[in-house]
């Protein structure tokens, strides 16, 4: 069973703070890792993807990947109330079955 | 960026009837499309994976005779919920990927309410 685990939260941070979202996965052969943001009642939207160990930065977002620990995280700097949403970690499974496995999501609330 | 469009965004149908949801890739050829279902406050659950021109691969526990998936072209996949029941009410989301690319693009989702 290939699993992706996230802390469901809710996670609350004050406006301007750093929000840290964490995710672990069980399939050691996974190659690609994604963070999606989902507002209530809406479809997920891609924030970032990362393939290589280390950090990847895009604006206020930084994705961190550690394949040895099977751990991927998302940091949101200078959090804004508009960042309040559910953040979904997704892992592209290894092998020929090209499908995304999603974590249960972490609900983030940024308090003004 | 790539766009995936779903239609209808919301649909209400009577119990026992069938409803079709369309998923279109607007500016790329989607060799693989995925159908997910999401119940309130839960994560996305993969229902099936479809490749153009071949039968869909269904996840364990998903009834293939109830959820008919057709991927007849590289830009269109359809999900038909047959003999719908109130417990089928959910948010259905499609996604698509092109060729060997790893990025998956999501449609806007379709809210199905069965009354």
């Amino acid at each position: 069973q290939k699993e992706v685990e996230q802390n469901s939260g809710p996670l609350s941070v004050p406006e301007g703070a750093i929000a840290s979202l964490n995710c672990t996965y069980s399939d050691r052969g996974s190659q690609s890792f994604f963070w999606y943001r989902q507002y209530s009642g809406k479809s997920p939207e891609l924030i970032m993807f990362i393939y290589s160990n280390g950090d990847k930065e895009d604006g206020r977002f930084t994705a961190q990947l550690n394949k040895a620990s099977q751990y991927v995280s998302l940091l949101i700097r200078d959090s804004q109330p508009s960042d309040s949403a559910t953040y979904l970690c997704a892992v592209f499974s290894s092998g020929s079955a090209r499908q995304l496995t999603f974590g249960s999501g972490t609900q983030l609330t940024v308090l003004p | 960026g790539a766009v995936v469009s779903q239609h209808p965004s919301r649909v209400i149908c009577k119990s026992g009837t069938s409803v079709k949801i369309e998923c279109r890739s607007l500016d790329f050829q989607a060799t693989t499309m995925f159908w997910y279902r999401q119940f309130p406050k839960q994560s996305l659950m993969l229902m099936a994976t479809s490749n153009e021109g071949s039968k869909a691969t269904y996840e364990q526990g998903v009834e293939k005779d109830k959820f008919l998936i057709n991927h007849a072209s590289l830009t269109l996949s359809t999900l038909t919920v047959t003999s719908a029941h109130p417990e089928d009410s959910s948010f259905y989301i499609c996604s698509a990927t092109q060729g060997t690319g790893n990025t998956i693009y999501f449609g806007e989702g379709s809210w199905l309410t069965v009354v």
Side-chain angles (χ1 to χ4, degrees), chain B residues 40-55:
Chain B
K41 299 191 183 299
Q42 296 186 24
S43 190
L44 282 74
M45 297 302 297
L46 180 66
M47 299 176 66
T49 301
S50 73
N51 294 296
E52 185 266 339
S54 62
K55 291 184 178 180

Side-chain angles (χ1 to χ4, degrees), chain A residues 10-80:
Chain A
L11 172 66
S12 294
V13 299
E15 184 174 356
I18 296 175
S20 178
L21 305 164
N22 305 316
C23 173
T24 59
Y25 59 95
S26 62
D27 182 6
R28 186 169 288 278
S30 298
Q31 302 284 334
S32 311
F33 308 87
F34 301 82
W35 282 100
Y36 287 87
R37 176 173 62 196
Q38 187 176 25
Y39 293 109
S40 180
K42 301 293 185 182
S43 189
E45 55 180 319
L46 180 65
I47 298 176
M48 291 190 70
F49 58 88
I50 185 168
Y51 304 144
S52 303
N53 275 327
D55 295 359
K56 179 181 179 182
E57 186 174 318
D58 183 0
R60 296 187 294 113
F61 299 96
T62 299
Q64 299 174 317
L65 174 61
N66 184 324
K67 290 187 177 181
S69 301
Q70 296 176 240
Y71 174 91
V72 58
S73 66
L74 179 70
L75 300 178
I76 306 174
R77 290 182 299 281
D78 187 25
S79 297
Q80 302 297 308

Side-chain angles (χ1 to χ4, degrees), chain A residues 34 36 38 43 92 98 102-103, chain B residues 34 38 43 101-102 104 106-107:
Chain A
F34 301 82
Y36 287 87
Q38 187 176 25
S43 189
F92 220 164
R98 300 176 60 79
F102 283 88
Chain B
F34 306 90
Q38 186 178 36
S43 190
N102 282 321
I104 293 184
F106 281 87

